[in-house]
Structures are given as structure tokens and as C-alpha cells.
Amino acid sequence: MKDKHRTKFVTKDIFKCSVIGAFTKLNPKYMMHNPVMFVVEIGFVIALLLSIFPELFGPTDGINNVRLYNIFVCVILFVTVLFANFAEAVAEGRGKAQAESLKKTQKDTKARLLKADGTETVVSSSELKKGDVVMVSAGEIIPNDGEVIEGTASVDESAITGESAPVLRESGGDFASVTGGTTVVSDWLKIRITSNPGESFLDKMIALVEGASRKKTPNEIALQILLVALTIIFMIVIVTLYPIGRYSGVTLPVSTLIALAVCLIPTTIGALLSAIGIAGMDRVTRFNVIAMSGKAVEACGDVDTMILDKTGTITYGNRMAADFIPVSGVSVEELTKYAALSSLSDATPEGKSVVALAKERGVVVDESSLKGAEFIEFTAKTRMSGVDLPDGISIRKGASDAIVEYVKGLGGAVPADLQGHTDQVSKQGGTPLTVCVGKRVLGVIYLKDIVKDGLVERFARLRAIGIKTIMCTGDNPLTAATIAQEAGVDGFIAECRPEDKIKVIKEEQAQGKIVAMTGDGTNDAPALAQADVGLAMNSGTTAAKEAANMVDLDSDPTKILEVVEIGKQLLITRGSLTTFSIANDIAKYFAIIPAMFMMVIPQMQVLNIMKLASPTSAILSALIFNAIIIPCLIPLAMRGVKYKPMSASKMLTRNMLIYGLGGVIVPFIGIKVIDLIIAPLLTMLGLGMAM
């Protein structure tokens, strides 16, 4: 998976802050949150005491240069803890660096607050509260999150999304939402503020990437419990080794037992666990997605079913009028005229496209004829809109069955060829809007909804990893079937109401499945709240964004695929490094256990398959390898294991081969190389045959 927002791994500033953070995190109160590394820190403290008082835990007869040996163990343990803290500090440092860049967009701008009497007053953006109305003109920064209530303008959102091309924001429809910190490029907007200071999406994103609001996910907590259990088991084993050694005539220095404990407990994954979690959240934010919790990101990795709203998700969303199809006995000009009249006060993209197409066809409507007219807004219940003219003429346009029911209610007749026209439009993947004047049906407006490029390939990728896709739409079954087939989804629900979306989500969840939902409208809010993963569009309504646990600042609904892959990559990375860490213990076992006993029990030499020079070099080599492998794995923990769509069984086999087998082989090579380097040095210092 290619990260289009990838930046330099560690900058000079991040490195400097991470080094300072590594020392700051040595505080025992902080280290207790990571039990595995806390055990290592306790070991360091004991080794430090032994370096000062070699006989603190008993006589050391027969041990050469024990003080120097204890110092070596102490230093290596200290470096191990520092490297673990450094890994977490690097992850946090990258988040803080991103937060600083986001804070640059939070300038203390001046806002033109509109009072109730229509006058303006200039106030600081920090003084704005929810419900305030502000005016923003070309060149001015939008002071806080809000919804456009009047005006149309191009907005530069590059400071937030990284996309250089300005986007259109207008009142009504799906493009009314604006984000604080973005800049109006042209025209003007009247905006109603939708968040109080400190509660905007930008504020939430800054808090998220700084790590202040990051909590451990259920999977992370479960893994930490496993690591603590393994640590306790190994500690019990190590404690019993001392009396066994005394019984066998082997003097086991406390420093050696500490070294054995540190090498055998899962220090590698223990050191990197927090960094993996922070880095997973960091990768999501680098795709311009605000995750309200780490649990949401992790849940993405387990998604089984994806519910997708059609309009704006599978299709581009702005259905455009493509043609006017009259019924028999009605001219195209008459249908076009009344279709345009019904749409003059319709601020939706569809309504505007009807007026634009009418003008293109040479039909000019006298807007003065609407003076005193009453515009009838579209509702989910009536599924139609229109206008009541002053002369008593009522014009309606809407779903065919709704118009038919409306006309019949007035005592009108339905043209025989109407059904054929609506079916024709539906089969072509379009949306038919039927137009009537009073109880007389005039014909159909053909609205064309285009499927987004590349969706077939994206849905195929989802299918390959076992995720079922279901399209929900309010369109009739024929239109829904056409769009579903063209897009390549696994299923669809036509004439779908908000309660239908919730029903299908609950049905999937009842089967034990994890469900993801994308949406941008107020009618999507209940379903977004019900889903395990709810991804709302930043261009959508406030209700949708508040109901979801993720918000896409790019307003690209198909990005759910990338979010799912990030979630899976997070789980795979954690699992792979856990496998690698546990596999490491096998090699360390063959390095340390024979070294501890082979001086008294020569038969143990058989287990010294790495042919290490001496017991001391074997123990110190394993301990040094245990320390240096942590910083070596930081880049992998931060960037994640490369994710490829495949079945769970294939993924398990692949990880076992790469990280399981690799976790056994790498320490054998690493410990042997370190032993070859330090053995001559230890001999010079008189530690070659220590113990």
C-alpha cells in the first residue's frame, strides 16, 4: 500500500526530541505502564547496585572481575530500556511534528461576526461559539468549522487535506460543510459555526496525533496481558534456576540471572508495542482521516462487511440532468419549461443542472413569474419537490411512483408510456424524475449518475480479502441493479430508508461480523453510529460527522479501502513482530542456557550449537543483540509490515515463514557475530572464562 503522504522517517528535530524523551520516560511511574520493560528497568537497577556492591546478594568466590561483568550487564540493560523508550518517543515525535504543522493553520484570525440586525463586528476566531454566523470573503480564512447557509465559493483546503486544487462549497446538498483553517479563494460564504473553540475537527486531529487522547485498543491490551503472562512464567523459571544451579555446583551470579530474564521475556515486542499503536494512528492521519479512537482503527482490520451509500460514494454524487423525455401528447419544450420552473428555487446540484440544461436547449424561463410563488422542498417522506405559482398552478417533480400517487390523488390519469420511459432511464443507470403540472403528467427528467473510476478494481481487492460490499440507495430496483452491476458490488438494497440501513447492519452484526459504513448525509447518521466503523465525509452534514468514529477530510468515500488496509496492516505488524520476538527466544535459549552450565556439566556443550567462545561472551552477546534489535525494528514498527490482500491462512503461513523462521535465524547470526567481536576484548579484560 503506497502512502501518498509519506514524509522523511526521522528528521533532525524529531531525533533530538526522541533522545530527550527516551531519558524522560525512564521515570518508574511511566515505565509501569509497560510491564515488560519495567522488569528490564528493575533489572538495570539491581545490576547497578551489584556494580557498586558486588557481594550485595552473597559471596562471589570463583568469579573473575565480577564488578566489571556487572557493569557490562548494567550498561546493556540501560541501553535496552533507552532503545525501547526511543522507539515510542520517535512514534510520538512524528505525531507531534505533524501536530505542529496543523497548528500553523490555527492562526488567531479575525472573524466578521453577523449580528441579528444584519450588522458586522470583527472578533477573534477564538471568541466564536456554536450557532454564530460569520461572513467570509475571498482571501479570508474560515475561522472555525461550520456549514454554508448562503453563497457559493471555491475553498482552498490544502492546509488541511494536502490537496492543492480548490473545492466548491455551497449552501444545501452534500458540499455545505467547511473546516476551520481553510481559505476562501473566490466569492463569499455566509457560514453558521458548528463547533465551540477547542472542539473543531482540527483540534481533535491535533490532540490525536500528539497522542494525548490515544488509548490502548482491546487487541493491544490483550497482547499486553499475554506479554505479562509470558514474563511471569519466565521469571518463575529463572528464579528456580538458582537453587538448581547451587544443587549442580554452579554459581549463578544474579547479573547472569537478570540477563537471562531480559533475554527470554518478550522484550522486543514489549518495547515496540506502544510505537506500533501510535504509528498506526499516525498512518491514518497521514491519509487525512480523523479517527476518534484507536479502537476504530483496529476494528478496520477485522471488517467483514462494508455498507456503502451510493450517491457520493459509489457514484460522483452530483447527478446531472442529461435529457428531457416527454410522454405522448406533450412537447419537449413544454416539459423543459415546467421542469426548469420547478427547479429555479432548487439549490441542489440536480436542480441547478435542470435549469442549466433548459438554458442550453434554448428554453428561457421568466423568473418574474415566480414572484409570490411558494417553493415546496424535497422531503424523504413525499420524495418530491416543486413550486406553487401565484396563478394556482402546482408543478411537482420527484420519484415516479410518488408523482403517480400524487396525480392519482388529484383524480388525474397516468400516461401509458410513462413506465416505459422511467424503465428506459433506469436501465441506462440513470435516475428518472417525473414532472407533472397539477394532475397532468408531462414526462421524465433523465438524471445521470456516473460510477467513479477504479471502483471495480477496488471492490475486487475487498473481495480478495474476504470483505462483502453492499450498496444502499434510495433509487428504484432497476437503477440500483444497473449501478451495482457496473460498480461490481456484491449486493444492493434499493429504495433504502435510514431504518433499512440500520437493519442490515444489525443483521450482519448479529452474525458476529464487523461492519463498516460510509456516508455523508443526515439520513446516514443513525447507520454510521450503529456500524463498528463509521466513516463520514468532511463535506457532509454535521450530524453525520458527529455520529461517525472517523471523518475523512478529503471527502473521498472510497478511502474506506485504504483505512481498512491500514487497520489490517496494524494488526499484521503487531502479530508479525510478536512472532519474531517469541521466535528470538529460541536462539537466545541456545546461547545462554548452555553457557550457564557447560563449565560444570560438559555434556551441555552439545547445545552450544553456535560455538560461542565462553560463557561470559555468550551471555553478553545475547544481551547486546537483545538491545540492538529494538532500534533495528523501529522503522518496521513505524511503517508497518507490507500488506497484501490474501486469505487469513495464507497470511499466517507467510508471516510464520518470514517472521517466525526469520526470528530464529537472525539471532543465531547476530549473536555469533557479536560474540566474534567481543570475545577477544573480554579475554583482554580477564572475563573470557568468567563464572
Side-chain angles (χ1 to χ4, degrees), residues 76-96:
I76 296 171
L77 292 180
F78 180 70
V79 172
T80 302
V81 177
L82 273 185
F83 282 161
N85 290 346
F86 180 75
E88 185 173 354
V90 167
E92 292 177 350
R94 281 165 64 89
K96 288 177 180 177

Side-chain angles (χ1 to χ4, degrees), residues 277-356:
I278 295 171
M281 300 290 287
D282 178 59
R283 282 195 293 275
V284 172
T285 60
R286 287 175 185 275
F287 272 85
N288 293 324
V289 173
I290 299 176
M292 304 306 179
S293 68
K295 183 179 179 181
V297 179
E298 189 173 281
C300 289
D302 293 322
V303 167
D304 301 295
T305 304
M306 189 176 298
I307 310 296
L308 303 108
D309 184 41
K310 187 206 77 171
T311 304
T313 303
I314 293 177
T315 63
Y316 282 106
N318 288 345
R319 297 174 299 176
M320 308 297 289
D323 200 5
F324 299 105
I325 307 172
V327 295
S328 57
V330 177
S331 66
V332 175
E333 290 76 15
E334 184 182 8
L335 170 61
T336 305
K337 173 187 173 183
Y338 283 107
L341 274 172
S342 68
S343 305
L344 279 175
S345 299
D346 188 348
T348 64
E350 292 87 351
K352 292 178 180 178
S353 72
V354 171
V355 176

Side-chain angles (χ1 to χ4, degrees), residues 174-190:
D174 296 330
F175 300 96
S177 180
V178 291
T179 304
T182 57
T183 306
V184 175
V185 178
S186 67
D187 302 299
W188 57 271
L189 295 173
K190 185 184 288 187

Side-chain angles (χ1 to χ4, degrees), residues 6 13 38 40 132 154 157 179 235 268 309 332 397 437 464 474 490 514 566 572 590 617 625 630 644 650 678 680:
R6 178 167 290 178
D13 290 338
F38 184 56
V40 180
D132 286 344
S154 295
E157 297 186 340
T179 304
M235 292 300 294
T268 305
D309 184 41
V332 175
K397 71 175 191 293
V437 177
D490 298 317
I514 303 297
I566 288 173
I572 292 169
F590 281 103
S617 69
F625 174 83
I630 294 172
K644 291 183 178 179
K650 288 183 179 179
I678 70 170

Side-chain angles (χ1 to χ4, degrees), residues 319 325 398-401 418 421-427 429-435 443-448 475-476 479:
R319 297 174 299 176
I325 307 172
S400 181
D401 57 339
L418 176 63
H421 292 322
T422 56
D423 289 348
Q424 177 188 355
V425 171
S426 298
K427 288 177 181 178
T431 301
L433 282 184
T434 300
V435 180
V444 174
I445 303 172
Y446 175 16
L447 294 180
K448 194 172 185 180
D475 291 333
N476 62 65
T479 301

